[in-house]
Amino acid sequence: MSEVEAVQIIAESLKQQGVDYVFGIIGIPVIELSMAFQAAGLKYIGMRNEQAACYAAQAIGYLTGKPGVCLVVSGPGLLHVTGGMANAQVNCWPLIVIGGATNQDHEGIGGFQECPQVELSRPYCKYAARPPTAALIPLHVEKAVRYATYGRPGVAYLDFPGNILQSKAQEERIYKSLAHPAAPLAYPPHDDVIKAAQLLRQAKRPLVIVGKGAAYAHAENTLRHLIENTNLPFLPTPMGKGVVSDTAAQCVSSARTLALQKADVVLLLGARLNWILHFGRAPRYDKNVKFIQVDICPEELHNSVVASVAIQSDIRPFVEQLFEQMNAVNFRFGYEQDWWKQLAAKCKQNRDTVQQMSLNTSTPLNYYAVFHHLRELLPKDTIIVSEGANTMDIGRSMLLNEQPRHRLDAGTFGTMGVGPGFAVAAALYCRDFAPGKRVLCVEGDSAFGFSGMEIETMVRYKLPVTIVIVNNNGIYGGFDKDTFEAIRSEGDLTQITPPSALGVQVRYEEMMKMFGMQGYFCTEIAQLQSAIKAANQLTDRPTIINVAISPSSDRKPQSFNWLTESKL
C-alpha cells in the first residue's frame, strides 16, 4: 500500500477546501509543513512576527471570503498569535491557525515548548481540535474551514504534534472529504420584512446604519439601490464605509452625533450595538428609538437593547425584499422634510469646521491638514489601512471610501499593531485580484512601533504599500523637542518621563535605507505632496512617509466622549 506524508495531507486538504494563502514564521516542528504548502500550490508569505502574520491571514480572509492560514510553531509561537486570533474572532473574520506542538510522547514530562494549545485557543475560536491520526486530517481541515466561514465568520485552530507531522497514512485509509459548498444564504421571514418596512415608512427621523457585516456579505449593489431610491439617510460603521459611497448624498457621517441621538427608527444592517455604536442606549440615542436589527447571527439579536424587529438573515436577501416592500408604496424620504434639513445643516456646520482646520497649514501641522492634502493625491479606490488613536479616528472621517472592503482598521477589538499585517494582505489581494489598485497604510507613530519590521516583508515580496506615519511623538500625544529635553534633564527618566511620551521626531523613514531605498520626512504640506506623488509611482516596493505634526494636535471638540461611560 502506498503511503502519504501527513504534511502533504494537510496541504492538499487545505487546497481542496479553497484556501490560497498561508502566512507564518517557521521553526521546529513545522518547517516541512511550510514546504509542503508551497508544493501543493499554496502561497506562503513569511512574516517577521506571529501577530502580524495572524493579522495578515485574517485580513486576506475578509477581503477574499476564504480563510487565510496562519502557521506558527509550538508554545510561544501559538501564544504570540493569540492576540491575532482574538482580534479575528471579535472582528468576525475567517481565519485558520495551524500550530505545531510538542511530540505526544513528551507531553507531561517537560517537552520542548510544551503547552496546552488546544485549550488555550478554544476561547478565541469557533472550532479547536487536534487530529488524532494523519488519516483523519482531511475531516478536521474541512470542518475548520466550514466553521470559519459559515454563519458568523471566525477562527478555527488545528493542533499538530511533531510526531503526527512526521507520520504517514496509507492512502486507502485517508478520510475522503469533499470541498465544502459556499455558505448557504439565510433568508428573512417575510412577515418581519413587512414589519420593518412599515416602521421605516412611519418614521419621522429614520436612519440606516451600514455595518462591516454588509461589506463582508457583498451587499453593496442591493444596498446602494435601496438608499438611492428611498433617499434614507445612512451612517457607515468604520469598516462599513464604502458599501454605499462616503460621497453619496444620503451619507450623514458629518452629522453622526445628531443622527444617532435624534433618530426615531434605526435600521441596523450587519452592525452590532457594541461600544462603537454606544450600545444603542440613551443619551447617545433617543430613549424611545426603535431598532430594526438584521444580522446573520441569531445570538446577536436583542443584544444590549430589545429590538422592535429582529431578523436573522443575510444582508442581501433582506435588503432586496425590503426594497420591494418600500417600492410597493412608492416610498421616498424627501429632502424637504424636517429631519433631512436638520441633518444637512449639521453636516454643513461640521464640514465647514473641518475645512477651516484642514486649510491651516502652519507648522507644526495638524491632523486635518495632513489628511486633507493626503486625500487630494490618493489614487481612486485606494485600499486604506489605518490604526492609531487620533490618526485612525480623524482619518476615518477625512479619508473617504467609495468602494466596499476598502478600509481596514483596528476594528471591534481596538487592536493596535494590525496595520502592517493588514497592508501586506491588502497588497497581495490587489496584486492577485485588482492589479493597479493602491494600498495606503496610515499609522500613528505608536501604532507603527508594534509591527514596523514588517516593512522587510513588504520589500521582500515587492509589495507597493505607501506607509504614512502621522508622528506626534507619543501615545495620544507627546512633547516638542525643547519641552521633552527639559523634562529628561531633571532626573530619573523612568520616574519623570510621561508614560505617553515617545522619542521626539524619530526618523522612521530612515528604515528604508536598510534596503537601499528612499523614505521621506515631512514637516510641511509641500513636502508631503511631493512624497505622495513619488510614492504613487512605485509599483514593486513600499515606502515610508514620516509626517511630523504638532504633539498637541487633537480632534475637533466632541459633543460626547468617544467611549460611552458606564452608568454602574
Side-chain angles (χ1 to χ4, degrees):
M1 291 186 181
S2 60
E3 292 185 318
V4 183
E5 294 181 343
V7 292
Q8 181 182 343
I9 298 172
I10 298 170
E12 292 180 352
S13 297
L14 288 168
K15 189 68 177 176
Q16 182 190 29
Q17 298 305 324
V19 173
D20 291 320
Y21 297 91
V22 181
F23 303 82
I25 297 178
I26 66 163
I28 296 171
V30 298
I31 297 172
E32 291 78 11
L33 179 56
S34 66
M35 293 186 286
F37 286 152
Q38 291 178 315
L42 296 169
K43 299 178 181 181
Y44 180 85
I45 300 92
M47 305 286 284
R48 299 302 300 262
N49 177 280
E50 284 98 349
Q51 284 186 346
C54 195
Y55 299 143
Q58 64 195 254
I60 206 72
Y62 172 68
L63 291 169
T64 66
K66 296 187 291 187
V69 170
C70 180
L71 177 66
V72 295
V73 300
S74 49
L78 187 278
L79 287 171
H80 289 171
V81 89
T82 303
M85 294 170 70
N87 187 72
Q89 184 75 354
V90 174
N91 224 23
C92 308
W93 285 0
L95 167 71
I96 295 174
V97 175
I98 292 178
T102 190
N103 285 11
Q104 289 169 299
D105 60 327
H106 291 173
E107 290 179 342
I109 57 173
F112 175 65
Q113 296 182 333
E114 182 181 350
C115 185
Q117 296 175 183
V118 176
E119 292 84 351
L120 283 170
S121 301
R122 207 177 300 282
Y124 314 107
C125 293
K126 293 177 69 178
Y127 180 69
R130 171 187 284 184
T133 66
L136 288 174
I137 286 171
L139 180 152
H140 290 278
V141 169
E142 186 278 331
K143 193 171 182 180
V145 173
R146 179 157 40 89
Y147 270 61
T149 53
Y150 276 30
R152 173 177 281 175
V155 184
Y157 174 68
L158 294 177
D159 194 64
F160 289 101
N163 59 293
I164 294 291
L165 290 173
Q166 295 161 14
S167 69
K168 298 179 181 180
Q170 294 178 355
E171 188 170 8
E172 293 79 1
R173 295 185 177 181
I174 297 173
Y175 182 88
K176 300 298 187 291
S177 66
L178 298 175
H180 77 279
L185 282 178
Y187 284 81
H190 187 62
D191 289 348
D192 286 342
V193 178
I194 293 175
K195 291 177 185 177
Q198 289 174 339
L199 266 183
L200 285 170
R201 288 198 300 266
Q202 295 165 3
K204 302 296 184 183
R205 299 181 303 279
L207 179 67
V208 179
I209 297 181
V210 181
K212 178 174 69 239
Y216 184 78
H218 289 248
E220 54 268 18
N221 292 335
T222 53
L223 192 46
R224 289 180 181 206
H225 188 66
L226 173 73
I227 295 297
E228 289 167 3
N229 285 278
T230 61
N231 204 39
L232 289 168
F234 79 92
L235 280 175
T237 63
M239 276 185 277
K241 283 164 59 68
V243 176
V244 183
S245 174
D246 287 342
T247 61
Q250 297 83 7
C251 182
V252 293
S253 291
S254 297
R256 184 181 191 272
T257 297
L258 174 69
L260 295 179
Q261 195 173 23
K262 300 298 184 182
D264 61 354
V265 175
V266 175
L267 171 60
L268 293 162
L269 296 175
R272 292 172 282 177
L273 289 175
N274 54 24
W275 66 273
I276 292 176
L277 290 176
H278 314 290
F279 312 109
R281 300 176 183 175
R284 298 305 295 262
Y285 293 78
D286 186 281
K287 64 180 181 179
N288 296 315
V289 65
K290 294 179 173 63
F291 287 101
I292 304 165
Q293 192 176 16
V294 186
D295 201 284
I296 189 64
C297 178
E299 290 83 359
E300 186 62 36
L301 302 178
H302 304 297
N303 192 29
S304 183
V305 300
V306 177
S308 297
V309 184
I311 303 172
Q312 182 198 6
S313 175
D314 276 275
I315 302 300
R316 275 187 295 168
F318 169 80
V319 173
E320 289 169 356
Q321 293 186 28
L322 178 67
F323 179 73
E324 290 176 2
Q325 292 298 318
M326 303 293 281
N327 193 45
V329 293
N330 202 22
F331 176 87
R332 184 172 175 83
F333 195 77
Y335 287 114
E336 73 280 357
Q337 292 176 262
D338 183 61
W339 180 229
W340 256 126
K341 291 178 181 178
Q342 292 181 53
L343 292 171
K346 192 64 175 179
C347 281
K348 183 179 185 306
Q349 178 187 344
N350 285 337
R351 285 170 183 159
D352 289 346
T353 300
V354 169
Q355 181 74 358
Q356 185 176 6
M357 298 171 75
S358 300
L359 297 179
N360 176 11
T361 58
S362 61
T363 57
L365 297 168
N366 69 69
Y367 284 104
Y368 293 89
V370 170
F371 286 129
H372 172 77
H373 291 88
L374 177 58
R375 183 178 71 196
E376 288 189 327
L377 293 171
L378 283 184
K380 186 176 178 59
D381 296 340
T382 295
I383 294 181
I384 299 170
V385 178
S386 184
E387 63 171 329
N390 287 345
T391 298
M392 181 177 65
D393 292 341
I394 298 172
R396 181 183 301 141
S397 65
M398 297 289 293
L399 301 175
L400 305 183
N401 293 102
E402 296 186 28
Q403 297 297 325
R405 300 170 297 281
H406 278 53
R407 179 182 170 86
L408 308 172
D409 69 18
T412 312
F413 212 34
T415 307
M416 289 294 99
V418 297
F422 282 3
V424 166
L428 289 166
Y429 172 80
C430 291
R431 187 174 70 186
D432 293 343
F433 299 101
K437 194 181 288 290
R438 305 293 303 186
V439 176
L440 173 71
C441 182
V442 186
E443 299 275 301
D445 52 324
S446 171
F448 180 73
F450 282 80
S451 306
M453 272 311 298
E454 297 304 332
I455 188 71
E456 189 274 331
T457 306
M458 299 175 194
V459 171
R460 187 167 12 114
Y461 291 102
K462 299 182 179 181
L463 302 177
V465 176
T466 300
I467 299 176
V468 175
I469 300 173
V470 185
N471 189 348
N472 66 353
N473 305 334
I475 303 171
Y476 304 113
F479 293 92
D480 62 78
K481 185 174 182 179
D482 290 342
T483 302
F484 191 58
E485 290 300 329
I487 292 173
R488 294 209 303 172
S489 66
E490 293 180 2
D492 184 352
L493 299 183
T494 64
Q495 293 291 303
I496 63 173
T497 302
S500 63
L502 299 175
V504 175
Q505 287 194 0
V506 176
R507 300 296 295 270
Y508 298 103
E509 81 286 351
E510 295 288 315
M511 293 175 68
M512 297 309 303
K513 290 186 176 179
M514 295 189 295
F515 314 104
M517 298 176 184
Q518 183 179 359
Y520 303 89
F521 180 67
C522 307
T523 58
E524 301 174 355
I525 290 300
Q527 294 170 330
L528 173 63
Q529 291 171 326
S530 177
I532 291 295
K533 290 177 182 177
N536 286 343
Q537 302 303 312
L538 299 177
T539 59
D540 63 350
R541 72 184 80 169
T543 194
I544 296 175
I545 301 173
N546 183 15
V547 187
I549 68 168
S550 169
S552 60
S553 181
D554 204 351
R555 69 189 77 185
K556 70 180 182 64
Q558 305 292 305
S559 301
F560 290 91
N561 290 330
W562 68 275
L563 184 63
T564 299
E565 297 293 332
S566 171
K567 300 301 180 185
L568 298 180

